[in-house]
Amino acid sequence: MIRADVQSTVEARLIVERGEVVRMEMALRYFAADPLAVRALFVAEGGSTVEWHFARDLLREGRTRRVDDCMGEGDVRVWSAWSDDRPVVVLSLTSPDGSAALEIDMEEVRTFLDATEMLVPYDTEAVDVDSLLGRIFAVTS
């Protein structure tokens, strides 16, 4: 498995038919070499893993307003809501193979995004990769 620069395992609540909820772990992963994207990795029914890639800005902006990305192979929608008297981020994923709606605790999303911003600040994602890697290695040396 490739090591992410920032990885956080969060508890997600998969909303299934009739409003039933299935609790599951999901990994949020971020790589400085691909600074615009976040990857969400989870184990699907039957034990296979599923990984979705979407813009970090979707997760960031979805904490305060509904945002959509319908440009790739699947659709991603993100918005905030309340569930069990706590704020959550809802991640709706739709592909030709099906769809899923996941709730993630707002604080866990904020903590993950804060860690990604420490690695690659917002609005600097277009930085030359060689320069970025040089800064990262200088900090860890």
Side-chain angles (χ1 to χ4, degrees):
M1 179 182 292
I2 299 171
R3 185 180 101 27
D5 293 314
V6 175
Q7 180 165 316
S8 182
T9 301
V10 299
E11 180 182 295
R13 295 167 29 117
L14 175 64
I15 310 302
V16 294
E17 293 179 19
R18 297 176 303 280
E20 295 175 35
V21 173
V22 175
R23 294 182 186 280
M24 60 189 292
E25 284 190 348
M26 179 173 73
L28 293 174
R29 299 167 45 182
Y30 182 77
F31 300 87
D34 187 11
L36 297 173
V38 165
R39 292 161 173 80
L41 178 72
F42 51 93
V43 178
E45 201 173 303
S48 62
T49 57
V50 176
E51 186 171 55
W52 278 73
H53 300 211
F54 52 90
R56 176 172 68 160
D57 280 346
L58 283 179
L59 201 54
R60 178 181 168 207
E61 293 173 20
R63 295 179 303 157
T64 58
R65 65 183 182 91
R66 183 184 179 100
V67 290
D68 303 325
D69 178 9
C70 304
M71 301 294 291
E73 293 179 24
D75 296 344
V76 179
R77 291 178 173 80
V78 184
W79 66 91
S80 62
W82 284 86
S83 180
D84 294 333
D85 295 324
R86 65 187 173 99
V88 296
V89 173
V90 179
L91 186 62
S92 173
L93 309 170
T94 304
S95 77
D97 296 326
S99 62
L102 301 146
E103 293 178 348
I104 309 163
D105 183 77
M106 181 77 71
E107 184 63 21
E108 289 185 296
V109 172
R110 185 196 61 74
T111 299
F112 171 76
L113 289 172
D114 286 352
T116 70
E117 185 175 21
M118 294 208 41
L119 186 61
V120 180
Y122 294 113
D123 300 324
T124 66
E125 292 95 341
V127 171
D128 177 74
V129 173
D130 291 334
S131 171
L132 177 61
L133 290 174
R135 289 189 311 179
I136 291 168
F137 290 124
V139 170
T140 60
S141 300

